[in-house]
């Protein structure tokens, strides 16, 4: 019986070789430090891989808790792949990225993902582009939790007395919930743990 391949998947020839090549390319991510923390004096901050792991766990928890709101498979896939291009581009801090090359960065990331998965499937690159458009519930969830994971990490770095991180609590963009009440409630809880009002 002929193997059935979905419209987004490539034929199986060379699949294992392609997987090995992908992991060779993303191998550095556990050594790529989150640059925003480095710039603010945190020695040995979390890596991009660690951030993606925690982000994916957050996504899993929220998708399981609100199954009628989110497609878990889609949301988890977005969370797992969202920072893979940083294996090539490294982590570019948000202020610089937003100010100077946000559109070109997004285009480059899409191209990198298409290349990374080019012999395996088109699905991941398509989901990444859906994430960037921020129009679907899953995209909004992952983008909101990306910010929330950052603020959770900052909360605990500050409890450890690490870094110069007060500015993060003053920027409303760091608490963008994308109109999702579950994400909004998480931000409120983070601010409650910090003992501050959520910036507007």
């Amino acid at each position: 019986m002929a193997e059935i391949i979905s419209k987004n998947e490539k034929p199986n020839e060379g699949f294992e070789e392609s997987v090995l090549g992908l992991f060779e390319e993303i191998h550095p991510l556990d050594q790529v430090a989150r640059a925003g923390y480095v710039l603010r004096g945190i020695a040995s901050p979390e890596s991009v891989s660690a951030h993606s792991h925690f982000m994916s766990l957050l996504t899993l928890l929220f998708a399981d808790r609100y199954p009628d709101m989110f497609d878990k498979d889609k949301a988890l896939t977005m969370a797992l792949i969202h920072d893979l291009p940083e294996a090539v581009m490294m982590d570019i801090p948000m202020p610089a990225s937003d100010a100077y090359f946000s559109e070109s960065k997004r285009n480059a990331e899409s191209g990198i993902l298409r290349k990374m998965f080019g012999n395996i499937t088109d699905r991941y690159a398509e989901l990444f582009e859906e994430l960037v458009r921020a129009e679907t519930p899953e995209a909004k969830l992952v983008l909101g939790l990306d910010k929330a994971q950052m603020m959770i990490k900052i909360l605990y770095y500050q409890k450890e007395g690490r870094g110069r991180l007060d500015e993060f609590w003053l920027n409303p963009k760091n608490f963008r919930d994308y109109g999702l009440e579950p994400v909004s409630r998480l931000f409120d809880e983070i601010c409650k743990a910090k003992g501050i009002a959520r910036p507007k």
Side-chain angles (χ1 to χ4, degrees), residues 127-141:
L127 284 175
F128 180 82
E129 289 162 11
E130 179 178 325
L131 175 66
V132 169
R133 289 193 298 272
E135 295 170 351
T136 61
E138 294 77 21
K140 292 175 182 179
L141 176 67

Side-chain angles (χ1 to χ4, degrees), residues 71-173:
D71 179 323
K72 181 166 70 174
D73 175 69
K74 182 189 283 192
L76 264 178
T77 302
M78 288 178 175
L80 284 164
I81 68 172
H82 83 285
D83 274 343
L84 289 183
E86 292 184 9
V88 176
M89 297 178 64
M90 306 299 285
D91 184 38
I92 303 171
M94 187 174 60
S97 172
D98 288 351
Y100 299 110
F101 40 81
S102 58
E103 185 175 350
S104 58
K105 178 176 178 284
R106 287 194 298 269
N107 291 338
E109 288 171 337
S110 292
I112 289 167
L113 263 177
R114 285 202 176 275
K115 180 177 178 292
M116 281 181 169
F117 293 101
N119 294 324
I120 300 172
T121 181
D122 294 326
R123 177 173 181 261
Y124 304 137
E126 291 168 3
L127 284 175
F128 180 82
E129 289 162 11
E130 179 178 325
L131 175 66
V132 169
R133 289 193 298 272
E135 295 170 351
T136 61
E138 294 77 21
K140 292 175 182 179
L141 176 67
V142 171
L143 291 169
L145 293 179
D146 190 25
K147 298 291 187 186
Q149 189 276 337
M150 178 182 73
M151 295 313 300
I152 292 169
K153 199 70 181 173
I154 287 167
L155 177 69
Y156 291 111
Y157 278 149
Q158 289 196 308
K159 286 189 175 186
E160 295 167 351
R162 300 173 67 187
R164 304 177 302 278
L165 302 168
D166 285 342
E167 66 186 271
F168 283 89
W169 299 100
L170 305 175
N171 187 351
K173 290 182 179 179

Side-chain angles (χ1 to χ4, degrees), residues 14-34:
F15 171 74
E16 293 79 10
E17 182 181 0
S18 297
V19 169
L20 194 59
L22 169 67
F23 274 79
E24 180 179 11
E25 193 160 13
I26 66 174
H27 169 71
L29 281 176
D30 61 354
Q31 299 297 318
V32 177
R34 298 265 281 165

Side-chain angles (χ1 to χ4, degrees), residues 1-20:
M1 185 177 189
E3 181 180 2
I4 298 173
I5 300 172
S6 82
K7 65 183 181 67
N8 289 320
E9 293 176 352
K10 306 299 175 70
N12 197 45
E13 295 86 358
F15 171 74
E16 293 79 10
E17 182 181 0
S18 297
V19 169
L20 194 59

